[in-house]
Amino acid sequence: MASNRASVSIAFRSISKHYGTFKALDRIELEIEAGEFLTLLGPSGSGKTTLLMLLAGFARPSSGVIEVAGSDITRMPPHRRDFGVVFQNYALFPHMSVTENVGYPLRMRRCPREEIDRRVADALELVQLGHLAERRIDQLSGGQRQRIALARAVVFSPRVLLMDEPLSALDKKLREQMQIEIRHLHERLGITTIYVTHDQREALTMSDRVAVIDGGRLIQLEEPASLYAHPATRFVADFIGESTLLPVARQAGRFAYGEQPVSIANPVPPGAGEHWLVVRPERLVLLDGAAPDGINRFTGTVEDVVFQGETLLARVRLATGDMLSLRRDTRREVMAGLPRTGEPISLGLAAEETVIVPERAP
Amino acid sequence: MSATGIESLAARRAGRPDANAPELAADERRERLHLFGLSLPALLVIGIVAFLPTAWLFWLSFIDEGSFSLAHYERMVREASYLRIFWSTFEISAVVTVIAILLGYPLAYLLSQLSERAASLLLILVLVPFWTSLLVRTYAWLVLLQRRGVINDWLQGLGLVDAPLRLVHNYTGTLIGMTHIMLPFLILPTYAALRTIDRDYLKAAASLGASPLRAFWTVFFPLSLPGLMAGALLVFVLCLGFYVTPALLGGGRVLLVSMKIQQNAGMYFEWGAASAMGVILLVATLGIFWGLGRLVSLDRVMGER
Amino acid sequence: MHEPFVPHSRRLWLYAFAALVLVFLVAPVFIVIPMSFSGAQFLTFPPESFSLRWYRNYLESPEWLAATWISLKAAVLTTLVATPLGIAAAYGLNASRTRLATMAQVALVTPLLIPVIILGVGVFYLYVQIGLVNTLLGLVLAHSILAIPFVMVTVTAGLRQFDLNQERVARSLGATRLRAFMTVTLPQLRNSIVAGGLFAFITSLDEVVIALFISSGPQSTLTRRMFSGLRDQVDPTIAAVSSLLIVLSVALLGTAQLLQRRR
């Protein structure tokens, strides 16, 4: 049932949504390539779901244009947009069987009976639930419901697939399995997919590109690896992955943490407000003796060490009073080399791993 | 396409995609209007059949012999017979409310202490009379309380009284009938409020050394007050405008506001007098409901905690 | 489990008191039914002899049957008017979520807050002017103002439980708003709608006060006839009519209650 239509591009042009004086979305500019898997990532209340609702047509923007395949669909009613939507709570119709649910979009399109039967069977096969065709919805498990919702959203070969936190109601194991399945489904169908989540790990796992949204604004749009490595603002650095942020100040053209100048091999993104040194716990190395050139050195005492299974987390109080986290794997030889609680420690961060971000975008 | 549509299309071509705000706002208004429009038939019926005549009565109450006048209201303040009617309406409503609290609160309390299953079974006994037409229930009391009725039969049979008691067509009968009709209105909200009170509070109070009685009065009762007050106000306000039961069980010896309104309008066609009384009754009723609304929302806030 | 906080023995007085209150509540209802099967002219409890004479009396009286017929017609028509109007209002106001919509919601339940006697006088005054006194249409419209709020409140409660995302999904899957409502929302509101309709029916059937003003003579409703019968002399036929009404009300409202809970 691979989508025989060419996939389409999407563009948000200066999309704003106001509720009274509250700006839920503020001049969003975003272009999504045909066939791309793009994730809208942000904390709750950031506006990411609102943006998805505007794209689906369930609400309309206060101003701005949404284009799909180059044509303006801003004022088009949802039933003519030809988008598949999957909600967090699945929104399966409880008064219909699995087959009737999946066949719903085809019945709305007045497809002939045989075609409906065939395409429903194909879609159920695609999510490997062909054997549940005659079940009632309340007889399905959470993971099965999720797949049925997915089958219903793709059965009519929609132009775009929209998913609003589709996995957040599932437990961790199932969620991780579904992430991979959805990813595979996307590769098979090649359908342009917009995925909303507040889970940064999920966003990094699944997406071609991630759009970070906060306070109704698009903060950064990047591929997962470079988003992680090069956050554009303090918010992104804090929200994506694990990090400690240390305040740095510009002194005579270079940044310094306290009195200590910071060696840095990456450009500092433009922005406003204070600047912060982003320290990822797994990028720190243990130093003994003096730091070689191009390595930033931090000294302090070990406050506590927490064993977490595959890794451990050590918290270090620096001489400045700030706290820094260090993550190590738990192989015996690595653990043996670590100082114990209360002992002094010296940590290094290579200039290539050193990132400084502004408080906010310009 | 509308003129603004063409303009904004031009603006967009000129590179201003946010120029479409007016047409989007118009779409939004249209959709809201369509949705709101779905309520118009209902609003129309209720507006014409309920509000228009009520407003008309309001108007009539200020008209005497063809011109604006407060005469109808003045009469109500001056004439002792009117004052008496207002007073007895207020009095019987208050008495019924107090009796309903005394009878209903212990029952609601007991139900709230039972298991959910047992309570819902016993609640059927509250709901069955609640669902039964009030005319039927009033009829039942007439049959039970009349001179040769069931109660007098039994009292005489047991040798408790020599001659039949006058139990109906008077104040006593009205009181019994009204209390019976109103009791479910007190029990149901009170029970609902009592159900939401966490029993752990009582255990905590007991563990802190309070006797059961003391724990009840210092912990449980204050928490149940909003529900009880809501039920009591509901009973009181429903009594104020009650017509059927007092008219049938009072036997003309109890004259309440509602009955006087009916007489003035239905028998003497004294619209002005009927309207003025109606307006006073309406203002009192809506005022109390307004207060009740505030109380119930308070109740909800406490329930969420 | 549910352990009583105070030992049973120490609250016996409470059980006894509650039992008495419950007896007070149900006694009238449960005494009317046996008495309606009495064979005697004077109603006693327990009846000395049993017969169906009062039911026969009811079924053979053209006046009672005519009144029953009028009441049933009014109740059915009121249900047919109030239910769609109430559903439409509940849906539209629930979806539009504006200040105006909230005000309209309040306005639509206000008839339940106005003392019926005022509505009776007011409706009478209006109907005198436009010639609707003693008409079926007048009766149905007047009962609708009491029935619409019940339907609206019941359906709104149903809509609050309903996940509006389902309707959204249906629209994205290709259904127009109307089609999405008909195929997805409406079937799931069925219980609330039936419950609301039953409320509407009983509201009309049991209504007394407005009928006293606007229906008389051959246009009298069942309740209006009962009311007059009670004022003049206590006719045991009313016991038979009452028993039928009790059974009908309890059956319909009990069903409504169950439906609402199962939603």
Side-chain angles (χ1 to χ4, degrees):
Chain A
M1 79 161 294
S3 172
N4 39 14
R5 287 191 209 193
S7 38
V8 294
S9 64
I10 301 172
F12 294 95
R13 306 217 185 275
S14 193
I15 287 290
S16 296
K17 176 70 177 171
H18 304 170
Y19 295 101
T21 53
F22 173 69
K23 292 182 178 176
L25 289 174
D26 189 13
R27 286 164 292 162
I28 298 281
E29 297 280 352
L30 177 57
E31 293 194 1
I32 301 154
E33 286 162 28
E36 187 175 22
F37 193 118
L38 181 115
T39 296
L40 301 175
L41 173 68
S44 65
S46 59
K48 58 189 190 300
T49 296
T50 307
L51 192 61
L52 196 78
M53 295 297 115
L54 298 185
L55 181 55
F58 302 143
R60 58 176 64 78
S62 303
S63 63
V65 172
I66 302 173
E67 283 170 11
V68 170
S71 59
D72 181 354
I73 61 147
T74 320
R75 297 174 67 191
M76 185 187 274
H79 67 275
R80 288 179 39 214
R81 295 194 177 194
D82 217 7
F83 292 178
V85 181
V86 179
F87 277 105
Q88 176 178 1
N89 56 7
Y90 321 133
L92 292 169
F93 308 138
H95 59 298
M96 298 181 192
S97 71
V98 166
T99 309
E100 287 167 330
N101 262 283
V102 178
Y104 187 87
L106 302 173
R107 287 201 302 282
M108 291 302 118
R109 287 169 173 72
R110 304 188 192 287
C111 290
R113 235 342 252 294
E114 313 78 66
E115 190 190 338
I116 293 182
D117 292 347
R118 181 175 50 76
R119 291 175 73 174
V120 168
D122 285 353
L124 287 177
E125 227 29 73
L126 187 74
V127 295
Q128 298 145 34
L129 288 181
H131 57 292
L132 297 181
E134 293 316 314
R135 290 280 179 91
R136 287 208 322 269
I137 298 306
D138 57 13
Q139 297 169 315
L140 302 178
S141 71
Q144 289 169 339
R145 288 179 199 208
Q146 180 53 63
R147 285 181 214 192
I148 298 301
L150 206 53
R152 184 178 65 177
V154 298
V155 70
F156 58 106
S157 305
R159 298 194 289 169
V160 176
L161 182 57
L162 308 179
M163 291 192 256
D164 183 18
E165 310 245 5
L167 303 181
S168 59
L170 303 179
D171 63 46
K172 189 167 179 287
K173 265 215 169 100
L174 193 52
R175 192 161 65 225
E176 285 169 357
Q177 185 191 336
M178 284 303 295
Q179 286 171 359
I180 294 172
E181 278 188 35
I182 291 176
R183 195 59 241 209
H184 284 170
L185 190 77
H186 174 254
E187 278 159 18
R188 278 183 65 180
L189 301 180
I191 214 172
T192 312
T193 302
I194 319 287
Y195 189 98
V196 164
T197 183
H198 65 274
D199 179 344
Q200 46 94 14
R201 185 176 288 273
E202 189 164 288
L204 297 179
T205 309
M206 302 183 72
S207 326
D208 293 329
R209 280 192 304 165
V210 178
V212 182
I213 297 195
D214 184 44
R217 306 192 65 165
L218 175 62
I219 307 293
Q220 193 171 2
L221 174 65
E222 209 93 52
E223 285 167 20
S226 58
L227 187 67
Y228 184 83
H230 305 290
T233 67
R234 177 195 167 147
F235 171 80
V236 179
D238 201 26
F239 194 69
I240 310 281
E242 210 178 5
S243 57
T244 313
L245 296 158
L246 300 174
V248 291
R250 202 189 290 268
Q251 279 174 6
R254 49 186 309 200
F255 285 98
Y257 172 59
E259 296 302 309
Q260 173 190 346
V262 178
S263 323
I264 178 166
N266 300 300
V268 176
E274 297 153 69
H275 282 76
W276 303 85
L277 175 61
V278 183
V279 186
R280 303 277 189 205
E282 79 284 2
R283 303 283 161 108
L284 286 168
V285 292
L286 272 176
L287 296 177
D288 30 56
D293 266 1
I295 300 259
N296 294 299
R297 180 191 177 100
F298 303 94
T299 55
T301 49
V302 178
E303 188 96 348
D304 51 36
V305 180
V306 183
F307 179 79
Q308 293 177 332
E310 69 272 30
T311 60
L312 60 76
L313 193 67
R315 295 198 309 146
V316 173
R317 184 171 296 283
L318 301 181
T320 54
D322 292 323
M323 299 293 290
L324 206 57
S325 291
L326 163 75
R327 189 173 283 288
R328 289 283 89 146
D329 67 56
T330 47
R331 281 170 300 158
R332 190 181 302 273
E333 63 270 26
V334 177
M335 286 176 73
L338 275 178
R340 315 210 173 280
T341 303
E343 289 178 0
I345 189 169
S346 181
L347 299 168
L349 185 67
E352 299 78 46
E353 302 288 356
T354 303
V355 172
I356 288 178
V357 293
E359 176 71 27
R360 54 182 181 274
Chain B
M1 190 179 279
S2 65
T4 52
I6 293 167
E7 274 165 37
S8 72
L9 193 68
R12 214 173 306 147
R13 291 230 172 91
R16 290 199 27 226
D18 56 356
N20 59 354
E23 51 198 272
L24 289 173
D27 283 358
E28 187 81 19
R29 270 197 303 277
R30 194 173 316 117
E31 185 179 337
R32 290 233 172 110
L33 209 64
H34 283 165
L35 285 171
F36 187 81
L38 286 172
S39 69
L40 280 183
L43 282 173
L44 213 62
V45 169
I46 283 174
I48 292 177
V49 185
F51 295 159
L52 178 69
T54 309
W56 214 332
L57 291 186
F58 198 81
W59 169 250
L60 284 178
S61 74
F62 290 102
I63 299 294
D64 192 33
E65 288 167 2
S67 58
F68 179 83
S69 141
L70 289 174
H72 301 301
Y73 290 98
E74 276 165 20
R75 213 164 78 211
M76 245 142 261
V77 184
R78 239 191 1 254
E79 282 185 25
S81 65
Y82 276 104
L83 287 177
R84 214 163 33 242
I85 292 170
F86 278 113
W87 172 248
S88 46
T89 305
F90 178 82
E91 188 200 61
I92 202 163
S93 303
V95 172
V96 169
T97 307
V98 170
I99 299 178
I101 292 174
L102 294 179
L103 296 184
Y105 188 86
L107 178 60
Y109 171 74
L110 182 70
L111 289 177
S112 76
Q113 299 298 294
L114 298 176
S115 71
E116 199 98 29
R117 251 186 102 76
S120 52
L121 279 177
L122 285 177
L123 267 181
I124 294 178
L125 297 181
V126 182
L127 288 171
V128 163
F130 187 57
W131 290 339
T132 304
S133 149
L134 77 109
L135 193 59
V136 168
R137 285 189 281 163
T138 307
Y139 166 70
W141 281 112
L142 214 51
V143 173
L144 284 170
L145 297 175
Q146 63 188 328
R147 265 179 83 75
R148 298 202 49 190
V150 175
I151 305 270
N152 269 321
D153 265 10
W154 285 0
L155 289 177
Q156 281 176 295
L158 293 170
L160 290 173
V161 293
D162 298 330
L165 298 175
R166 281 207 65 97
L167 292 173
V168 78
H169 295 310
N170 58 12
Y171 189 78
T172 316
T174 310
L175 211 55
I176 296 175
M178 283 175 74
T179 306
H180 180 257
I181 307 260
M182 289 302 159
L183 205 43
F185 287 107
L186 185 107
I187 294 172
L188 295 173
T190 308
Y191 167 73
L194 288 173
R195 255 290 163 214
T196 61
I197 297 177
D198 196 335
R199 292 162 62 92
D200 288 349
Y201 287 134
L202 281 184
K203 290 190 190 134
S207 74
L208 296 172
S211 71
L213 201 63
R214 217 180 134 80
F216 173 82
W217 284 113
T218 54
V219 179
F220 203 84
F221 185 71
L223 287 172
S224 72
L225 264 182
L228 179 64
M229 282 294 287
L233 272 180
L234 186 65
V235 168
F236 182 76
V237 75
L238 290 175
C239 281
L240 286 183
F242 207 176
Y243 175 75
V244 173
T245 303
L248 289 173
L249 297 181
R253 287 182 186 79
V254 180
L255 191 55
L256 302 184
V257 172
S258 57
M259 294 149 78
K260 188 69 186 170
I261 294 176
Q262 194 274 336
Q263 280 182 6
N264 274 335
M267 289 159 76
Y268 313 134
F269 290 94
E270 287 227 29
W271 293 106
S275 306
M277 285 193 101
V279 167
I280 294 173
L281 176 60
L282 185 64
V283 168
T285 304
L286 293 182
I288 293 172
F289 270 121
W290 181 75
L292 189 68
R294 295 178 60 119
L295 200 69
V296 172
S297 66
L298 183 78
D299 187 8
R300 204 170 295 150
V301 169
M302 295 190 69
E304 271 169 15
R305 233 190 292 162
Chain C
M1 254 282 302
H2 228 69
E3 207 173 299
F5 180 63
V6 182
H8 288 291
S9 54
R10 286 187 46 194
R11 53 200 321 183
L12 267 183
W13 64 271
L14 183 61
Y15 293 135
F17 184 80
L20 282 177
V21 175
L22 284 173
V23 168
F24 171 68
L25 276 168
V26 294
V29 174
F30 284 112
I31 280 175
V32 166
I33 296 179
M35 282 199 312
S36 69
F37 293 101
S38 166
Q41 176 68 46
F42 280 101
L43 296 173
T44 51
F45 187 85
E48 280 148 16
S49 60
F50 287 95
S51 83
L52 292 173
R53 66 183 279 200
W54 304 118
Y55 287 91
R56 209 175 305 124
N57 214 20
Y58 165 67
L59 289 172
E60 285 168 1
S61 151
E63 290 88 5
W64 278 114
L65 288 184
T68 308
W69 183 232
I70 292 199
S71 275
L72 285 178
K73 271 198 286 193
V76 168
L77 290 174
T78 300
T79 310
L80 292 180
V81 170
T83 310
L85 263 54
I87 295 171
Y91 180 82
L93 297 179
N94 185 61
S96 67
R97 291 179 195 282
T98 53
R99 273 176 64 97
L100 191 65
T102 315
M103 279 163 58
Q105 272 173 328
V106 173
L108 286 177
V109 296
T110 302
L112 295 184
L113 309 183
I114 302 176
V116 203
I117 189 77
I118 295 176
L119 291 176
V121 172
V123 169
F124 180 47
Y125 188 80
L126 175 75
Y127 282 10
V128 168
Q129 329 270 328
I130 58 177
L132 276 181
V133 179
N134 283 333
T135 63
L136 186 60
L137 175 66
L139 204 56
V140 169
L141 285 177
H143 285 175
S144 294
I145 64 176
L146 297 175
I148 289 170
F150 275 118
V151 177
M152 195 192 76
V153 167
T154 322
V155 174
T156 303
L159 276 168
R160 294 245 163 88
Q161 305 248 320
F162 174 74
D163 172 22
L164 279 175
N165 277 348
Q166 286 193 30
E167 207 178 283
R168 295 207 178 102
V169 158
R171 291 167 66 199
S172 77
L173 295 175
T176 59
R177 191 159 198 149
L178 180 65
R179 199 128 182 249
F181 177 77
M182 297 305 261
T183 54
V184 172
T185 314
L186 200 62
Q188 294 184 62
L189 288 180
R190 197 186 53 217
N191 283 354
S192 305
I193 289 171
V194 173
L198 291 175
F199 279 130
F201 185 85
I202 289 293
T203 301
S204 168
L205 195 67
D206 284 351
E207 203 287 319
V208 194
V209 179
I210 298 181
L212 281 179
F213 284 95
I214 61 164
S215 87
S216 61
Q219 282 293 321
S220 290
T221 63
L222 192 59
T223 47
R224 151 111 226 203
R225 257 200 86 76
M226 287 172 70
F227 188 89
S228 321
L230 290 182
R231 266 222 290 225
D232 306 340
Q233 95 299 351
V234 180
D235 176 0
T237 311
I238 297 178
V241 180
S242 293
S243 303
L244 294 175
L245 278 180
I246 292 173
V247 172
L248 191 64
S249 310
V250 170
L252 294 189
L253 294 178
T255 311
Q257 177 93 352
L258 285 179
L259 285 175
Q260 279 205 283
R261 224 181 270 167
R262 206 178 304 152
R263 201 156 37 211

